[in-house]
Amino acid sequence: MEPAGKCEVPKTTTQSPFDQTPIEFDVLARRYLDTVRDSIIGLTHRTTEKGCTMDGVGIAVKPLDILERVEGRDWPIFGLTMVGQRRMHNIEWALRKVVTEGVQGDFMECGVWRGGASIFARAVLDVLGESRRKVILADSFEGLPAPRTSNDPTFYSKIDYLRVSLETVKINIASYGINPESVNLQYCKGYFVDSLPVCHVDKLAVLRMDGDMYESTMDQLFNLYNKVSIGGVVIVDDYCLPECLRAITDFNTWHNLNEQLVPIDKCAVYWVKHADIPSLHLEKYQELLPKKQ
């Protein structure tokens, strides 16, 4: 999620690969995925869809701006994801990459809101004949947590618009003809600090992080980064938000990571993982955990 008016992604030198011509599926599969993608982001509802932004007081509703929706710079009324069209293209690109290259593991999204990006990931994997790969949805399904430390502001936890129940997400999944109770869908319910350590995750081919906050980003990195296969893709939806950017920078610095970050749009980035971390600096993470009573 990207509240309007936030900072842009720092410039990098690597061109994003989905600016190139995409690999073709057969015509019907291509039309199916395009329709699923654009209905999920609300672009097929142009006569009724509107955009929302944070105006400093609350949620402001305005007419749909196509460019903002493509770039994920507004929040939809009817759409099922905030990530916009370019980040949805990136999900498809990442899944096609790992399937083509035989990278082992599942797709996991941390921070799913209404479930739209994960629905699209399931659709892409099914079209690719990869029904054996799971789509794992991790979320509190109650909105964002109150901060545990001074690293994060308090306002995220007060935004009711971000609260979407697991029941609602499952209804949204079913509306696309996908069985929400299928064995190739998995749900990890709870705030990341509690749910990720106990969520059964084996290998990940694509990890999509959308936690906004410093602490939530660290929860994801410390619990999941070494479960991403070599050659897998790590996507950071909120890299333009100062708390998220700082978390990525700190984690990379602590572990001497030097992966090439590639911009997706003005907020999100991704990188391809080339090495595991031999020893996580868990003492850094301990400072962020709730104090035992």
Side-chain angles (χ1 to χ4, degrees):
M1 296 166 298
E2 178 199 356
K6 293 294 184 180
C7 60
E8 296 188 359
V9 174
K11 293 182 179 179
T12 62
T13 58
T14 304
Q15 182 180 7
S16 180
F18 48 84
D19 287 335
Q20 304 169 10
T21 302
I23 298 172
E24 290 296 331
F25 297 114
D26 66 72
V27 173
L28 289 178
R30 183 69 267 160
R31 288 177 180 173
Y32 164 70
L33 288 180
D34 289 349
T35 301
V36 170
R37 181 197 66 226
D38 287 350
S39 66
I40 284 173
I41 64 177
L43 282 182
T44 58
H45 312 294
R46 297 187 188 189
T47 57
T48 55
E49 177 67 305
K50 297 184 184 299
C52 299
T53 57
M54 296 274 298
D55 64 0
V57 177
I59 303 294
V61 179
K62 62 180 184 178
L64 175 65
D65 183 308
I66 301 299
L67 180 59
E68 285 193 352
R69 185 60 53 88
V70 167
E71 295 183 350
R73 291 191 284 115
D74 69 350
W75 294 354
I77 293 289
F78 297 111
L80 302 184
T81 182
M82 301 177 179
V83 307
Q85 192 182 67
R86 288 186 62 80
R87 284 174 243 176
M88 294 285 267
H89 280 304
N90 171 251
I91 291 172
E92 182 178 337
W93 172 85
L95 290 170
R96 288 192 284 112
K97 175 192 182 301
V98 297
V99 168
T100 300
E101 296 178 2
V103 178
Q104 296 298 304
D106 299 317
F107 173 94
M108 184 170 188
E109 183 179 29
C110 296
V112 307
W113 195 46
R114 294 173 178 168
S118 289
I119 294 171
F120 184 59
R122 180 73 272 158
V124 172
L125 287 171
D126 289 346
V127 165
L128 291 171
E130 294 287 319
S131 59
R132 64 183 177 82
R133 295 185 192 250
K134 290 182 180 180
V135 169
I136 306 171
L137 298 84
D139 202 293
S140 72
F141 302 102
E142 298 177 356
L144 274 67
R148 307 189 297 264
T149 68
S150 60
N151 286 289
D152 288 301
T154 60
F155 71 86
Y156 285 119
S157 64
K158 301 175 182 178
I159 304 175
D160 289 336
Y161 197 68
L162 304 182
R163 304 178 195 275
V164 180
S165 69
L166 177 57
E167 179 184 14
T168 297
V169 170
K170 288 185 176 182
I171 290 171
N172 293 339
I173 292 171
S175 73
Y176 281 85
I178 301 169
N179 179 3
E181 305 301 335
S182 170
V183 295
N184 59 16
L185 289 173
Q186 179 181 340
Y187 306 94
C188 296
K189 187 177 188 299
Y191 293 132
F192 297 153
V193 66
D194 301 315
S195 65
L196 295 184
V198 298
C199 181
H200 178 68
V201 178
D202 185 13
K203 292 182 180 179
L204 297 175
V206 179
L207 171 61
R208 189 172 198 284
M209 303 196 302
D210 191 355
D212 295 47
M213 302 167 66
Y214 182 92
E215 295 163 0
S216 296
T217 302
M218 286 298 189
D219 293 335
Q220 295 167 77
L221 290 168
F222 274 97
N223 284 285
L224 299 173
Y225 192 78
N226 273 353
K227 295 185 178 184
V228 179
S229 298
I230 302 302
V233 180
V234 179
I235 303 167
V236 184
D237 188 86
D238 303 305
Y239 189 71
C240 65
L241 301 185
E243 295 82 18
C244 178
L245 188 154
R246 185 160 51 86
I248 296 297
T249 301
D250 285 350
F251 186 84
N252 289 349
T253 300
W254 296 339
H255 299 99
N256 296 313
L257 295 181
N258 192 31
E259 304 286 14
Q260 180 64 58
L261 274 60
V262 183
I264 299 169
D265 54 21
K266 293 182 178 180
C267 192
V269 299
Y270 78 91
W271 67 86
V272 176
K273 180 179 172 182
H274 293 98
D276 285 323
I277 298 172
S279 180
L280 289 167
H281 283 281
L282 294 176
E283 74 281 359
K284 298 288 189 180
Y285 187 44
Q286 289 292 330
E287 297 174 1
L288 303 174
L289 296 178
K291 305 302 181 184
K292 294 182 179 180
Q293 300 296 326

